[in-house]
Amino acid sequence: MAKKTGPTADVARIHEPGAINSIELVPRERLNLRALLVGNPNYFGTLKDSPFAPKASVAGNTTYEEIKCVGFHPQAHKLQAVVFTKQPFGFLGGVCTAGSQEYVRFYLSFDNGASWVDQGLTQFSAYDVPGGTTGGKRIEHAVSIDCTPPAKWCTVPNVILARAILEWNKEPPANTPGHIPVWGNVHDTHIQVDPRWLIKWVELFELAKVKFNAPLAQSIDLEQTVEAAPAKALSVLELQELYLDKGVEPHRFALAEITKLIDTPELTAAVTHPFHLGPKGPFKFDVSDVVETLLQQADGSTVYEELDCVGLRSSGLSDELVAVLRLKRPYGFSGGPCTAGSREYVTFWADFDNNGTFETCLGTASVGVYDLDVPPEGLEYSVSLPVDLNPYRRPCQEGPRVVPIRAILSWNQIPACGNPNWVPTWGNREETLILIPPGTPVQPGQYNPFLYDISGRAVCSIDQGSGMAAVGHPFGGVLCITGEIPAALALAAPDLLEYRVWATQGSSTLPIVSPFNVTVEEGTGPGTAVSYSVHQTAPTGWFTYREHGSPALGAWRRVSSPNRLLARWNTSGLTGLWTIHVEARMAGTTAPVFSAGLTTCLADGTTRSSVKVALDQEPPVAAVDLTGYSDATGFHAALPCGDISQGVAVHGTFDITDNVGVGSYGLVLEPLPVGTVSTDYLTFTQSGASTPTHVSGDWTLQTAPAGKPPLPTCGYVIHLTAWDGTIVGCGTHWRDDATVGFCLRSPQEG
């Protein structure tokens, strides 16, 4: 009889591939997650206002996987998370199987958590990896989405909340920030958004609180924009004055200048520097004391910043290392957002031969940071480094390829790539394990392009019979098509390749040539990345391929936002099953043409060079109605837009239909009294007769709920928002809105 363990006594025995005498017990609730939810959508008690009674109390379980860090790169516009997988089993199979999926959905809040805006869903594959391979240590994975929150002028603070919801083997529902995962967790953090450098005159006058008369206002085009002056790097003297009463040490704010002098071959510059003018000089510190402090430091300080997580983001044959760091203090970063600030650098090393020496430097990534009002739990930033791991892949039959990674964080100094034991002045070191997905190494000169994702869904997760993404999701609107030419990472020069994308349905062929913009990162080695926008056009039907090289080897460029975007396809007016194709060639030639590479799908062993997608352009249809109100004397019928007295409970119904399937929905009260949320007054319940394509239910609004302030007299609406399951754009869904209103009067007015 099996040993009892986990949430219930029902368990299954899972053999850990490649291990000796390793039989582990995985809870029934994990192995049969989807089947149990089909039988009872609220089996685990994670649904609010559900007519189904829960059967088990498994919620937010982090035994197997957990989000540990969420960070934002404000210059590259990437929202990223690092997920730990903590067990050698429980992921439904080893690297020669499909394993299982870990889904992460991101949200942003611009009102400190009162409301949340869905930013999209991403995922990665997790596998059983024998404990003998990992030494019992965790494996760190990374996920990333493109994210551009609204920017503000540099004098206006722009720190917002971010949320990531991790769920194993089940997608967290869209637009449901309060969702509780069964296996997984919710991670909240604060992030900083970089300022914008263009502002309208009217906004500038408002910020400056400038008042002017009507004739002057009529003579100026207030909608015209002005550009800010270039951000200035503050001098040591300016930083000294800025931090005079802030407790920032001289060996912090003078670090860059002192290390610059130390690295100067000609010492004359150092001797004549204002640092050495003595007591009559402008500086209030002794440079010799600062140098002694730096020389005596045995390890990096994490007082101001600390590196917390390092993971691998892998999509097909495309890889990048992601690190998340935390800023802990409001000052000490060389100035606020209106200045050039300073940079946090992270250099990565790999120990491919597992001898503990970390002999391979992979490169350096960085992020710009500033003085800001830091919340008590700090601000989380991310950096990412594209890496070419294709030479290190191996067939799955040879077992999982687990590689130790070391990362060193350093403020305002680039860690020495040739020294994996380098000690930063400000920063720290982290080590972890990454899993390189199996595959056949790409050979030089084979410039075959690969399709990776369609609007955030991996090509192997799209059923080629139906064209639907996992759990029956079609596609619509503008599709984001991503992919890569892996062999281009060996090219020393840019723009040597071009590619084309097209779609077919039966005998119809449709070139995908709409222009689009991407952000690229470019550098000439470790720590040299700059970002800029590129407008992609295809005047001859072919786009220029923008990526090449590797940071560890010299010149390089990556398409960073959206990540490895090949094309945007506007599918408006198109329905049915379409097939997306890609091919490449050397720029300016007609032959040879490199056909699409074959992607092997581990779930069924099939290969595909193109991908079929089902198109749906119909949004859901939402309706909400007011039926009446109830008081001490009973229920009374009422019509929308009528008058209702304070103190009663208002009742109504809602209804949503969709040709493919209703996704998620929500009802809110508008407007809300200050300091309250919609659920203080409004509740709603889905009917047990609802189907996947037709959802209906009832709502109740308490105008004077116990323990809450009564609703003031005003005009109100119940706002229903419904989304379907169609994947639109780069990860949103079709939606519809409906409202019903009434006027709340005092009893005396009634």
Side-chain angles (χ1 to χ4, degrees), residues 32 189 248-249 266 300 405 414 425 579 670 689 724 726 735:
N32 300 286
T189 193
V248 180
E249 306 90 331
E266 177 54 62
I405 296 292
I414 301 177
T425 303
T579 304
E670 298 172 347
D724 67 6
T726 301
R735 65 176 282 178

Side-chain angles (χ1 to χ4, degrees), residues 503-551:
T504 59
Q505 186 186 64
S507 59
S508 299
T509 298
L510 185 64
I512 301 175
V513 293
S514 297
F516 60 96
N517 290 332
V518 293
T519 298
V520 300
E521 291 184 63
E522 185 174 64
T524 55
T528 60
V530 295
S531 298
Y532 56 92
S533 180
V534 173
H535 187 59
Q536 288 283 73
T537 60
T540 63
W542 295 77
F543 293 101
T544 299
Y545 188 69
R546 300 295 179 180
E547 300 201 2
H548 80 99
S550 169

